[in-house]
Amino acid sequence: MRPPRSPQPLGRRVTDLLPGWLRRHLAVVLGEQGAPLYLAGGVVRDLLRGVTPADIDLTVRDGARAWAARLAELCGGALVALGRDEEAARVVSGGVSVDFAAFREGATDILDDLTRRDLTINAMALRIDPLLLDPGADAAGTTLLDPTGGWADLAAGVVRATGPEAFTADPLRLLRVFRFAACLDFRIDPGTLAMAGRQGGLIVAPAPERIAHELDLIMASNRAHRTCAQMAETGLLGHILPELQAGSGMLQPASHHLDVLGHSLEALRHLEALTLAPAIRFPGQGGPLAAYLATGRNRVRLKWAALLHDLGKPVTRAVDVQRGERITFHNHDQSGAELFRQVARRLRWSNGDTDHVAHLIGLHMRPFHLANVARAAPLTLRAAIRLVRAAGDSLPGLFLLAMADALAGQGPERVAGMEEELAQLYAHLERVRAEHVTPVQAAPPLLTGRDLIERLRLVPGPLFREILAAVEEARMEGAVKDVDGALRLARSLVAAQGRGPDGSGE
């Protein structure tokens, strides 16, 4: 949304933004502190865009924590210190979050403070103490403070750094440029883009958690591919993910038309499109796909899996001279999953995100292997059940990833009709899951660990899991229907292991 042509409506928007109780309490604090008070940064940007700000960001000359503490005392809100090195604090009360910050980096006035911020669209302010101290003041007279041209950039949809020192002051701003372009659907000023390319190496300085947060916001947008491609062009993505950059210029077999890095970015492009309309490629399967994408962080995790699914190729690349110098990447899925876990640890990812993405990367070749089998002969129920069980709740995500992977490989030797094969295979596996897997998983087990101890006199150990899994799988296939059949299978597995009644070797 374009900002208004003149700043006159802003005062009324400010009074609408601040609840009555907050205006009253802020007026008290203002009377005690006797200093100017400004709305500044993102809150002003959002007001200009006609968007309700998520938080209320206030700026004072100094003593921000004292301002916050007094407000918290007056309203009975929670006080939270922000940052170890910043004079900043937050007050949360009545569902409203109010952030206080002092002038930054030695700034002497508000205009100086604004010029030291990251982006022009975040470097605007409104002085609001006249509105608070005099309820009868003319709200329409509120003046916009805009020393860097943020209003014009907001109107033009441009992300621009405030100046040549913006990134050296805080290298995380390198990523914030791309994050705001992705989230607002803005273009990046060419000069800012060039500066990001020259100074991209600075991005190794910020805390990993801060980097991961910005990347996550990019992936959560609908412009993750466009943004990652731009970051790759500037070199910034390579500084953050050197394991991904290792695929730049690395040729692939003739089934591919791009190098490894280009293919990874292309897979992200197709995956992002698939998440918006999955049923187009998977007719009749929109329900389970949409349900998967709507669950928790699955959409973001899946985008990460698409970008990083071939992380293992650079470390597994080989040339098979006996097959005409054919390029191979044997077991790159498993190597990639392990390499990804190292990346996730470095970026301080949560265990849930790490496990989910690693699981998808480790399985991403399985749909293709199964499609190859089905192309040569009818697919067995056992093979279908095993992939359904291996994928678990991530089965829809796995096939979305496989589809994006297939679409991203358009070389002359690609398998014709692979996308249709994947769609048909997924539909078949969903039927197998509904008819064979889910009913067994929902029913009481035929055997438990206690049964193995009491009825087969086995000692608990790794064999327990193998037996119970085999019994469950056989039940899904229909080969085992009751407890007696389950016990017979368990005994045969014990015998095949060459173990005695107590589970030890005889």
Side-chain angles (χ1 to χ4, degrees), residues 123-175:
M124 295 177 283
L126 296 166
R127 184 169 178 176
I128 64 171
D129 47 290
L131 296 177
L132 298 172
L133 294 176
D134 182 5
D138 183 7
T142 304
T143 301
L144 177 69
L145 303 173
D146 180 18
T148 65
W151 194 348
D153 283 341
L154 195 62
V158 173
V159 174
R160 186 193 313 272
T162 53
E165 305 300 322
F167 298 148
T168 55
D170 181 1
L172 189 72
R173 294 172 174 178
L174 287 158
L175 263 178

Side-chain angles (χ1 to χ4, degrees), residues 323-401:
R323 298 176 62 192
E325 305 290 322
R326 183 175 180 82
I327 298 171
T328 65
F329 300 103
H330 294 312
N331 296 320
H332 75 274
D333 44 1
Q334 301 306 310
S335 295
E338 180 52 40
L339 194 56
F340 162 74
R341 286 187 178 277
Q342 296 176 24
V343 171
R345 284 193 291 271
R346 185 175 73 231
L347 293 177
R348 308 291 196 271
W349 276 33
S350 70
N351 290 337
D353 285 350
T354 300
D355 291 343
H356 195 107
V357 176
H359 188 219
L360 289 171
I361 293 175
L363 288 175
H364 84 267
M365 291 302 296
R366 292 279 293 274
F368 297 102
H369 296 329
L370 207 58
N372 292 339
V373 171
R375 197 179 308 124
L379 192 65
T380 66
L381 179 58
R382 173 174 294 184
I385 287 172
R386 286 186 172 175
L387 182 52
V388 171
R389 296 182 73 211
D393 292 339
S394 296
L395 184 67
L398 177 61
F399 272 82
L400 287 168
L401 175 59

Side-chain angles (χ1 to χ4, degrees), residues 245-293:
Q245 185 64 31
S248 177
M250 180 169 288
L251 297 180
Q252 302 201 77
S255 57
H256 290 274
H257 67 296
L258 298 169
D259 65 9
V260 175
L261 175 59
H263 169 75
S264 298
L265 288 166
E266 185 73 351
L268 174 58
R269 182 174 76 86
H270 284 291
L271 190 283
E272 193 162 38
L274 282 169
T275 62
L276 298 177
I280 290 178
R281 288 288 178 176
F282 294 93
Q285 298 301 318
L289 295 170
Y292 170 84
L293 291 170

